[in-house]
């Protein structure tokens, strides 16, 4: 018994070291990203302005971008598919990425991604050893919730990269916020490893909490995309009006994907995870039914889950409503994510709730 | 998809979803020229428009916020009382706004009722429209296929008819609904998106109705049981009982159970010393006159008997005490449940001797004791009667006694855990000081002047409190929830898209094949899918050698 306790204490300590180490590596990744952005900016690519002001842009169908799909260029006889963006949206190519098409920038970018992957592995090991030390899933308090959360965010990002999705633009914002999240976790939220009170000891809880963390991580990615969309969209709008954005804005925004691509990315990410979020709330209700004898009691945490859910539903509706697409829908998406954040930090800390198991006083 | 594009494409892009379209004419208020029917119709169209649905959804989430910030009567009435005491100015305003009962308030109900009326008003026509779409053919090819988001073309020696036949076969094999019309084949796939969306919205209605029935027919009551005692499910046995407005007591399931033992374990050391680890209530229960069965109820594992659930809510201690009169005759004996006031189960309560007690002079009297109990005492000389640990490690019972009238005959309901000392006199010791004493198990406190004694027996029982609740409609709510998720998955992951294949003989006698695809704005896979289809069709209608001249305009007919 005491031996087991000692190993557990040991594991908890190892977990702490791993979390601190991952923070160190994330910091390195952060600097590599900065290097990528600074070195990459030397290249001059004004593709957006060119695409928006080119004389033939009134009739993009006449000069279509040619995308070769399926067959590939090698086989000449196979038909080529021409795509054309829906009318009403700007026909703008995606930016080249943070490296701006430069080799040194790209090198630093690759280093940044590799460091992020390394930090992710270390952090994941930290979370796992914490789980082993408490002999349960590591989501019993806000410290554990935060470390798991950032691990999952980075994991999803790396998985998207592995799937060859164009998401490298998210690297710098992600690493920055992950560092922030971990900093808050180790300074203010830290809780000694321990077991759970009986009310939290249910497998429904584990289903509920794990899916909640996952949804939050994906919603967060969506929110990052949305914010960048808003910047890039006003940049493109300004160019289209013939305006001249500042040098810094040009340098940064020029390298991001087109507003339409960012918008699509956020929509897909939010829409894909919305059913899971619905499931999360239902799983929570089932657990509440078992633990407290009522499925839904308008407890603060339940209220805010509901608000978040309705806000995302409103966002999805907005996308299908004429006059609400684009920026207005994007604001709704950000409001919805703010609700999620408040549910996570705000309710645990400021509102008296049955769910206040934060472990912080 | 934008309006201009839709017009551009004619019918081809229409009805790719059944979403109500925003008609600009609906948005302008008609002014005084509108008749009553006109107004009603205008209002109805507004209510069932996507825009208003969106606004109502937004208002629903906004309206839910105050309920999470202001204490709610439905959650914790004591907190509401405390809040009202603290905020003299806010209270009347909040009461006016029904902020203490947000989720049953008039304005919150108005929002969700409007939303659901809007939903029904939206769902019904959409379903008809969808059925209509299922029964009609996919819309014919637009004139200029080059205008579509994904387009491909090539020339082939194969006959146009043969190409169309091959295209029809390929599309059908890929489970498109395909149909040859004129010089083109029209095909559509992904109807499950619309079906899923309709299922989702209908499930929302099912869930709401299930919740509503649940609230109207539910019953919920609490009961505190000391180890060894029992409960049978009739109204009079409850300590407190609440029910929905349509609930009938005949619906109480006839079962009974007794608490055999309660076991609580706690963290013995570490920073969270004293944090509960397990709570288990071992019970024996039976249905009507049925056989007795044993079960263990835990915090997350209620006992379920024929739709009624028995939840373990809380627990505490019930020290066994014996009260004797001046002659040594036992006038009261048994376990007295005391209510915990902190997480280490420091408990308070009252011990009442209503009848059977006579004082020294043989006169009828009543006794009352205020009791303070700690399962783990800090140790003699260590200050207060506050428990150090929730487990039973060093129990101490502190008592002070009264005699006189308990006031139970006054007809008013009385809290069994509180002593009403208004008509009672506190016992004093020989020095005239208030008589109070801390007892260890087995010890006795003597009352002055031969008034008797009270003994803390060598036994402390535990009690557990249960919530017994019954709520019909849970099954429906769960079914609705599952259907909602399934529908959502269909609605969000399936793309509805159309593909057209046109094959016509060009001016030079060579067949021109054109393929185009159209989906909702968000479909990324459409060009890929079109390419795959094109490659497959191309295998059966191979590309002809490059012509000398550009294909004639006629190919684009
Ligand atoms: C009870 C409140 C409601 C909730 C929670 C809700 C939720 C949702 C969600 C999550 C979606 C996304 C699914 C998708 O994009 O396919 C959706 C789509 C949709 N909703 Fe609702 N909805 C509600 C009420 C309404 C009402 C009142 C209407 C009618 C005016 C409506 C009409 C639609 C339509 C037409 C779509 C499909 C949009 C599209 O084709 O992309 N909904 N709804």
């Amino acid at each position: 018994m005491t031996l087991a306790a000692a190993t557990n204490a040991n594991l908890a300590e190892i977990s702490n070291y791993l979390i601190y180490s991952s923070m160190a590596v994330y910091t390195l990744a952060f600097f590599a990203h900065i290097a990528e952005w600074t070195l990459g900016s030397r290249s001059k690519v004004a593709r957006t302005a060119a695409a928006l002001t080119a004389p033939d842009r009134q009739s993009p169908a006449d000069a279509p971008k040619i995308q070769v799909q399926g067959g590939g260029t090698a086989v000449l006889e196979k038909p080529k598919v021409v795509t054309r963006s829906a009318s009403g949206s700007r026909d703008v190519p995606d930016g080249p990425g943070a490296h701006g098409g430069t080799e040194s920038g790209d090198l630093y970018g690759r280093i940044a991604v590799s460091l992020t992957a390394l930090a992710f592995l270390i952090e994941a090991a930290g979370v796992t050893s914490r789980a082993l030390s408490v002999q349960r899933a590591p989501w019993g308090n806000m410290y554990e919730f935060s470390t798991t959360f950032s691990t999952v965010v980075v994991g999803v990002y790396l998985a998207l990269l592995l799937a060859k999705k164009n998401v490298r633009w998210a690297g710098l914002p992600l690493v920055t916020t992950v560092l922030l999240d971990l900093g808050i976790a180790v300074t203010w939220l830290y809780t000694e490893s321990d077991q759970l009170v009986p009310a939290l000891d249910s497998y429904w809880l584990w289903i509920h909490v794990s899916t909640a963390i996952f949804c939050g991580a994906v919603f967060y990615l969506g929110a990052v995309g949305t914010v960048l969309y808003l910047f890039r969209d006003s940049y493109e709008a300004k160019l289209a009006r013939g305006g001249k954005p500042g040098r810094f804005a040009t340098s940064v925004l020029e390298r991001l994907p087109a507003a339409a691509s960012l918008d699509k990315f956020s929509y897909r990410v939010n829409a894909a995870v919305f059913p899971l979020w619905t499931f999360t709330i239902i799983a929570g209700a089932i657990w509440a039914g078992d633990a407290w004898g009522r499925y839904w009691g308008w407890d603060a945490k339940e209220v805010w889950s509901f608000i978040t859910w309705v806000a995302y539903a409103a966002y999805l509706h907005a996308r299908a409503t004429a006059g609400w697409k684009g920026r207005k829908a994007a604001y709704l998406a950000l409001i919805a994510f703010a609700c999620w954040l408040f549910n996570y930090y705000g309710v645990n800390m400021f509102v008296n709730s049955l769910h206040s198991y934060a472990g912080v006083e | 998809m934008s309006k201009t594009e839709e017009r551009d494409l004619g019918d081809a892009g229409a009805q790719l979803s059944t979403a109500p379209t925003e008609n600009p004419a609906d948005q302008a208020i008609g002014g005084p020229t509108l008749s009553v029917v006109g107004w009603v119709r205008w209002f109805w169209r507004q209510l069932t428009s996507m825009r208003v649905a969106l606004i109502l959804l937004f208002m629903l989430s906004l309206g839910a916020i105050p309920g999470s910030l202001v204490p709610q009567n439905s959650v914790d009435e004591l907190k509401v009382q405390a809040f009202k005491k603290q905020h003299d100015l806010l209270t009347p305003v909040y009461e006016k706004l029904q902020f203490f009962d947000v989720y049953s308030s008039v304005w919150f109900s108005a929002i969700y009722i409007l939303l659901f009326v809007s939903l029904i008003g939206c769902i019904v026509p959409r379903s008809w429209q969808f059925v209509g779409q299922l029964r009609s053919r996919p819309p014919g090819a637009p004139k200029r296929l080059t205008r579509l988001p994904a387009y491909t073309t090539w020339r082939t020696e194969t006959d146009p008819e043969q190409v169309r036949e091959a295209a029809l076969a390929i599309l059908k094999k890929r489970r498109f609904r395909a149909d040859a019309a004129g010089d083109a084949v029209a095909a559509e796939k992904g109807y499950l998106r619309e079906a899923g969306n309709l299922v989702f919205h209908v499930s929302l209605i099912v869930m709401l109705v299930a919740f509503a029935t649940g609230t109207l027919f539910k019953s919920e009551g609490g009961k505190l049981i000391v180890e060894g005692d029992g409960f049978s499910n009739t109204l009079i046995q409850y300590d407190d009982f609440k029910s929905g407005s349509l609930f009938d007591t005949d619906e109480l399931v006839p079962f009974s159970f007794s608490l055999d033992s309660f076991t609580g374990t706690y963290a013995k050391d570490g920073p969270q010393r004293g944090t509960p680890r397990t709570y288990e209530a071992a019970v024996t229960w039976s249905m009507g006159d049925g056989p007795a069965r044993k079960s263990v109820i835990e915090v997350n594992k209620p006992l379920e008997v024929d739709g009624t659930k028995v939840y373990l809510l809380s627990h505490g201690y019930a020290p066994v005490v014996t009260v004797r009169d001046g002659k040594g005759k036992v006038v009261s004996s048994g376990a007295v449940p005391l209510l915990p006031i902190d997480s280490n189960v420091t408990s308070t309560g009252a011990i009442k001797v209503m009848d059977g007690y006579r004082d020294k002079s043989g006169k009828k009297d009543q006794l009352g004791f205020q009791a303070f109990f700690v399962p783990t005492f800090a140790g003699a000389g260590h200050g207060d009667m506050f428990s150090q640990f929730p487990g039973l490690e060093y129990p101490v019972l502190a008592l002070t006694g009264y005699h006189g009238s308990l006031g139970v005959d006054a007809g008013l309901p009385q809290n069994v855990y509180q002593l009403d000392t208004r008509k009672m006199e506190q016992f004093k010791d020989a020095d005239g000081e208030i008589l109070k004493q801390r007892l260890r198990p087995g010890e006795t406190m003597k009352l002055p002047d031969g008034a008797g004694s009270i003994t803390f027996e060598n036994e402390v029982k535990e009690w557990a409190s249960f919530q017994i609740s019954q709520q019909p409609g849970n099954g429906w709510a769960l079914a609705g929830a599952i259907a909602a998720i399934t529908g959502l998955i269909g609605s969000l992951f399936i793309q509805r898209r159309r593909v057209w294949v046109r094959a016509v003989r060009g001016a030079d006698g060579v067949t021109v094949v054109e393929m185009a695809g159209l989906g909702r704005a968000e479909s990324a896979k459409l060009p890929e899918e079109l390419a795959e289809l094109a490659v497959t069709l191309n295998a059966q209608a191979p590309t002809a050698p490059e012509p000398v001249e550009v294909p004639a305009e006629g190919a684009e007919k």
Side-chain angles (χ1 to χ4, degrees), chain A residues 214-233:
Chain A
F214 184 79
C215 288
V218 178
F219 280 146
Y220 176 58
L221 272 180
V224 170
T226 308
V227 169
L228 294 180
Y229 156 77
L230 286 171
F231 282 117
R232 170 85 189 195
D233 181 60

PDB file of all heavy atoms in Angstrom, chain A residues 214-233:
ATOM      1  N   PHE A 214     -12.248  17.146 -26.147  1.00  0.00           N
ATOM      2  CA  PHE A 214     -11.984  17.039 -27.575  1.00  0.00           C
ATOM      3  C   PHE A 214     -12.757  18.113 -28.350  1.00  0.00           C
ATOM      4  O   PHE A 214     -12.202  18.799 -29.218  1.00  0.00           O
ATOM      5  CB  PHE A 214     -12.350  15.640 -28.069  1.00  0.00           C
ATOM      6  CG  PHE A 214     -12.022  15.427 -29.510  1.00  0.00           C
ATOM      7  CD1 PHE A 214     -10.724  15.149 -29.896  1.00  0.00           C
ATOM      8  CD2 PHE A 214     -12.992  15.525 -30.488  1.00  0.00           C
ATOM      9  CE1 PHE A 214     -10.398  14.981 -31.230  1.00  0.00           C
ATOM     10  CE2 PHE A 214     -12.682  15.350 -31.826  1.00  0.00           C
ATOM     11  CZ  PHE A 214     -11.385  15.082 -32.195  1.00  0.00           C
ATOM     12  N   CYS A 215     -14.036  18.266 -28.013  1.00  0.00           N
ATOM     13  CA  CYS A 215     -14.839  19.277 -28.701  1.00  0.00           C
ATOM     14  C   CYS A 215     -14.229  20.656 -28.498  1.00  0.00           C
ATOM     15  O   CYS A 215     -14.113  21.444 -29.443  1.00  0.00           O
ATOM     16  CB  CYS A 215     -16.263  19.303 -28.159  1.00  0.00           C
ATOM     17  SG  CYS A 215     -17.223  17.889 -28.645  1.00  0.00           S
ATOM     18  N   GLY A 216     -13.833  20.939 -27.256  1.00  0.00           N
ATOM     19  CA  GLY A 216     -13.252  22.247 -26.973  1.00  0.00           C
ATOM     20  C   GLY A 216     -12.020  22.478 -27.822  1.00  0.00           C
ATOM     21  O   GLY A 216     -11.833  23.560 -28.395  1.00  0.00           O
ATOM     22  N   ALA A 217     -11.173  21.449 -27.938  1.00  0.00           N
ATOM     23  CA  ALA A 217      -9.943  21.588 -28.705  1.00  0.00           C
ATOM     24  C   ALA A 217     -10.273  21.898 -30.168  1.00  0.00           C
ATOM     25  O   ALA A 217      -9.679  22.793 -30.774  1.00  0.00           O
ATOM     26  CB  ALA A 217      -9.123  20.307 -28.603  1.00  0.00           C
ATOM     27  N   VAL A 218     -11.246  21.196 -30.715  1.00  0.00           N
ATOM     28  CA  VAL A 218     -11.576  21.407 -32.121  1.00  0.00           C
ATOM     29  C   VAL A 218     -12.275  22.756 -32.318  1.00  0.00           C
ATOM     30  O   VAL A 218     -11.977  23.491 -33.261  1.00  0.00           O
ATOM     31  CB  VAL A 218     -12.424  20.235 -32.651  1.00  0.00           C
ATOM     32  CG1 VAL A 218     -12.800  20.466 -34.096  1.00  0.00           C
ATOM     33  CG2 VAL A 218     -11.655  18.945 -32.512  1.00  0.00           C
ATOM     34  N   PHE A 219     -13.179  23.098 -31.395  1.00  0.00           N
ATOM     35  CA  PHE A 219     -13.818  24.412 -31.462  1.00  0.00           C
ATOM     36  C   PHE A 219     -12.749  25.505 -31.420  1.00  0.00           C
ATOM     37  O   PHE A 219     -12.874  26.539 -32.067  1.00  0.00           O
ATOM     38  CB  PHE A 219     -14.776  24.622 -30.283  1.00  0.00           C
ATOM     39  CG  PHE A 219     -16.123  23.962 -30.453  1.00  0.00           C
ATOM     40  CD1 PHE A 219     -16.808  23.430 -29.364  1.00  0.00           C
ATOM     41  CD2 PHE A 219     -16.739  23.893 -31.693  1.00  0.00           C
ATOM     42  CE1 PHE A 219     -18.055  22.838 -29.506  1.00  0.00           C
ATOM     43  CE2 PHE A 219     -17.979  23.306 -31.851  1.00  0.00           C
ATOM     44  CZ  PHE A 219     -18.635  22.780 -30.748  1.00  0.00           C
ATOM     45  N   TYR A 220     -11.716  25.260 -30.619  1.00  0.00           N
ATOM     46  CA  TYR A 220     -10.664  26.266 -30.510  1.00  0.00           C
ATOM     47  C   TYR A 220      -9.960  26.455 -31.851  1.00  0.00           C
ATOM     48  O   TYR A 220      -9.735  27.583 -32.291  1.00  0.00           O
ATOM     49  CB  TYR A 220      -9.671  25.882 -29.412  1.00  0.00           C
ATOM     50  CG  TYR A 220      -8.529  26.865 -29.344  1.00  0.00           C
ATOM     51  CD1 TYR A 220      -8.785  28.208 -29.125  1.00  0.00           C
ATOM     52  CD2 TYR A 220      -7.217  26.473 -29.547  1.00  0.00           C
ATOM     53  CE1 TYR A 220      -7.771  29.138 -29.100  1.00  0.00           C
ATOM     54  CE2 TYR A 220      -6.190  27.394 -29.525  1.00  0.00           C
ATOM     55  CZ  TYR A 220      -6.467  28.724 -29.304  1.00  0.00           C
ATOM     56  OH  TYR A 220      -5.472  29.646 -29.294  1.00  0.00           O
ATOM     57  N   LEU A 221      -9.635  25.343 -32.494  1.00  0.00           N
ATOM     58  CA  LEU A 221      -9.037  25.440 -33.839  1.00  0.00           C
ATOM     59  C   LEU A 221      -9.943  26.236 -34.768  1.00  0.00           C
ATOM     60  O   LEU A 221      -9.488  27.083 -35.533  1.00  0.00           O
ATOM     61  CB  LEU A 221      -8.839  24.041 -34.419  1.00  0.00           C
ATOM     62  CG  LEU A 221      -7.526  23.333 -34.105  1.00  0.00           C
ATOM     63  CD1 LEU A 221      -7.514  21.970 -34.769  1.00  0.00           C
ATOM     64  CD2 LEU A 221      -6.374  24.174 -34.629  1.00  0.00           C
ATOM     65  N   GLY A 222     -11.236  25.938 -34.689  1.00  0.00           N
ATOM     66  CA  GLY A 222     -12.195  26.658 -35.520  1.00  0.00           C
ATOM     67  C   GLY A 222     -12.165  28.146 -35.220  1.00  0.00           C
ATOM     68  O   GLY A 222     -12.190  28.985 -36.123  1.00  0.00           O
ATOM     69  N   ALA A 223     -12.067  28.480 -33.919  1.00  0.00           N
ATOM     70  CA  ALA A 223     -12.069  29.890 -33.531  1.00  0.00           C
ATOM     71  C   ALA A 223     -10.818  30.597 -34.048  1.00  0.00           C
ATOM     72  O   ALA A 223     -10.893  31.739 -34.515  1.00  0.00           O
ATOM     73  CB  ALA A 223     -12.171  30.016 -32.013  1.00  0.00           C
ATOM     74  N   VAL A 224      -9.663  29.907 -33.977  1.00  0.00           N
ATOM     75  CA  VAL A 224      -8.432  30.505 -34.517  1.00  0.00           C
ATOM     76  C   VAL A 224      -8.632  30.807 -36.004  1.00  0.00           C
ATOM     77  O   VAL A 224      -8.320  31.900 -36.484  1.00  0.00           O
ATOM     78  CB  VAL A 224      -7.234  29.554 -34.303  1.00  0.00           C
ATOM     79  CG1 VAL A 224      -6.020  30.053 -35.068  1.00  0.00           C
ATOM     80  CG2 VAL A 224      -6.907  29.444 -32.826  1.00  0.00           C
ATOM     81  N   GLY A 225      -9.188  29.840 -36.724  1.00  0.00           N
ATOM     82  CA  GLY A 225      -9.458  30.043 -38.151  1.00  0.00           C
ATOM     83  C   GLY A 225     -10.395  31.216 -38.374  1.00  0.00           C
ATOM     84  O   GLY A 225     -10.207  32.019 -39.291  1.00  0.00           O
ATOM     85  N   THR A 226     -11.415  31.322 -37.506  1.00  0.00           N
ATOM     86  CA  THR A 226     -12.395  32.391 -37.675  1.00  0.00           C
ATOM     87  C   THR A 226     -11.763  33.763 -37.486  1.00  0.00           C
ATOM     88  O   THR A 226     -12.014  34.692 -38.254  1.00  0.00           O
ATOM     89  CB  THR A 226     -13.544  32.209 -36.678  1.00  0.00           C
ATOM     90  OG1 THR A 226     -14.034  30.877 -36.796  1.00  0.00           O
ATOM     91  CG2 THR A 226     -14.665  33.178 -36.970  1.00  0.00           C
ATOM     92  N   VAL A 227     -10.934  33.887 -36.429  1.00  0.00           N
ATOM     93  CA  VAL A 227     -10.299  35.181 -36.171  1.00  0.00           C
ATOM     94  C   VAL A 227      -9.433  35.576 -37.364  1.00  0.00           C
ATOM     95  O   VAL A 227      -9.507  36.705 -37.875  1.00  0.00           O
ATOM     96  CB  VAL A 227      -9.452  35.114 -34.884  1.00  0.00           C
ATOM     97  CG1 VAL A 227      -8.591  36.355 -34.749  1.00  0.00           C
ATOM     98  CG2 VAL A 227     -10.340  34.953 -33.671  1.00  0.00           C
ATOM     99  N   LEU A 228      -8.622  34.613 -37.843  1.00  0.00           N
ATOM    100  CA  LEU A 228      -7.760  34.927 -38.983  1.00  0.00           C
ATOM    101  C   LEU A 228      -8.598  35.246 -40.218  1.00  0.00           C
ATOM    102  O   LEU A 228      -8.246  36.105 -41.018  1.00  0.00           O
ATOM    103  CB  LEU A 228      -6.805  33.764 -39.245  1.00  0.00           C
ATOM    104  CG  LEU A 228      -5.796  33.533 -38.119  1.00  0.00           C
ATOM    105  CD1 LEU A 228      -4.882  32.369 -38.439  1.00  0.00           C
ATOM    106  CD2 LEU A 228      -4.970  34.785 -37.874  1.00  0.00           C
ATOM    107  N   TYR A 229      -9.739  34.552 -40.336  1.00  0.00           N
ATOM    108  CA  TYR A 229     -10.633  34.837 -41.460  1.00  0.00           C
ATOM    109  C   TYR A 229     -11.056  36.300 -41.439  1.00  0.00           C
ATOM    110  O   TYR A 229     -11.045  36.987 -42.467  1.00  0.00           O
ATOM    111  CB  TYR A 229     -11.861  33.922 -41.416  1.00  0.00           C
ATOM    112  CG  TYR A 229     -13.067  34.494 -42.133  1.00  0.00           C
ATOM    113  CD1 TYR A 229     -13.132  34.455 -43.522  1.00  0.00           C
ATOM    114  CD2 TYR A 229     -14.116  35.082 -41.439  1.00  0.00           C
ATOM    115  CE1 TYR A 229     -14.216  35.005 -44.202  1.00  0.00           C
ATOM    116  CE2 TYR A 229     -15.196  35.632 -42.094  1.00  0.00           C
ATOM    117  CZ  TYR A 229     -15.241  35.591 -43.474  1.00  0.00           C
ATOM    118  OH  TYR A 229     -16.305  36.133 -44.138  1.00  0.00           O
ATOM    119  N   LEU A 230     -11.443  36.760 -40.232  1.00  0.00           N
ATOM    120  CA  LEU A 230     -11.927  38.142 -40.139  1.00  0.00           C
ATOM    121  C   LEU A 230     -10.841  39.128 -40.567  1.00  0.00           C
ATOM    122  O   LEU A 230     -11.108  40.070 -41.308  1.00  0.00           O
ATOM    123  CB  LEU A 230     -12.384  38.436 -38.705  1.00  0.00           C
ATOM    124  CG  LEU A 230     -13.718  37.787 -38.330  1.00  0.00           C
ATOM    125  CD1 LEU A 230     -13.999  37.921 -36.846  1.00  0.00           C
ATOM    126  CD2 LEU A 230     -14.863  38.398 -39.139  1.00  0.00           C
ATOM    127  N   PHE A 231      -9.600  38.892 -40.128  1.00  0.00           N
ATOM    128  CA  PHE A 231      -8.503  39.777 -40.536  1.00  0.00           C
ATOM    129  C   PHE A 231      -8.277  39.721 -42.040  1.00  0.00           C
ATOM    130  O   PHE A 231      -8.207  40.726 -42.725  1.00  0.00           O
ATOM    131  CB  PHE A 231      -7.208  39.387 -39.816  1.00  0.00           C
ATOM    132  CG  PHE A 231      -7.166  39.876 -38.397  1.00  0.00           C
ATOM    133  CD1 PHE A 231      -7.108  38.989 -37.337  1.00  0.00           C
ATOM    134  CD2 PHE A 231      -7.185  41.228 -38.128  1.00  0.00           C
ATOM    135  CE1 PHE A 231      -7.072  39.432 -36.033  1.00  0.00           C
ATOM    136  CE2 PHE A 231      -7.145  41.689 -36.822  1.00  0.00           C
ATOM    137  CZ  PHE A 231      -7.094  40.786 -35.771  1.00  0.00           C
ATOM    138  N   ARG A 232      -8.160  38.496 -42.521  1.00  0.00           N
ATOM    139  CA  ARG A 232      -7.855  38.336 -43.931  1.00  0.00           C
ATOM    140  C   ARG A 232      -8.991  38.881 -44.811  1.00  0.00           C
ATOM    141  O   ARG A 232      -8.756  39.463 -45.857  1.00  0.00           O
ATOM    142  CB  ARG A 232      -7.624  36.837 -44.196  1.00  0.00           C
ATOM    143  CG  ARG A 232      -7.520  36.437 -45.628  1.00  0.00           C
ATOM    144  CD  ARG A 232      -6.127  36.587 -46.206  1.00  0.00           C
ATOM    145  NE  ARG A 232      -6.181  36.385 -47.647  1.00  0.00           N
ATOM    146  CZ  ARG A 232      -5.149  36.175 -48.427  1.00  0.00           C
ATOM    147  NH1 ARG A 232      -3.934  36.133 -47.911  1.00  0.00           N
ATOM    148  NH2 ARG A 232      -5.293  36.005 -49.713  1.00  0.00           N
ATOM    149  N   ASP A 233     -10.215  38.702 -44.329  1.00  0.00           N
ATOM    150  CA  ASP A 233     -11.358  39.162 -45.110  1.00  0.00           C
ATOM    151  C   ASP A 233     -11.336  40.684 -45.235  1.00  0.00           C
ATOM    152  O   ASP A 233     -11.547  41.220 -46.322  1.00  0.00           O
ATOM    153  CB  ASP A 233     -12.662  38.705 -44.451  1.00  0.00           C
ATOM    154  CG  ASP A 233     -13.877  39.131 -45.246  1.00  0.00           C
ATOM    155  OD1 ASP A 233     -13.966  38.719 -46.419  1.00  0.00           O
ATOM    156  OD2 ASP A 233     -14.705  39.893 -44.719  1.00  0.00           O
TER     157      ASP A 233
END
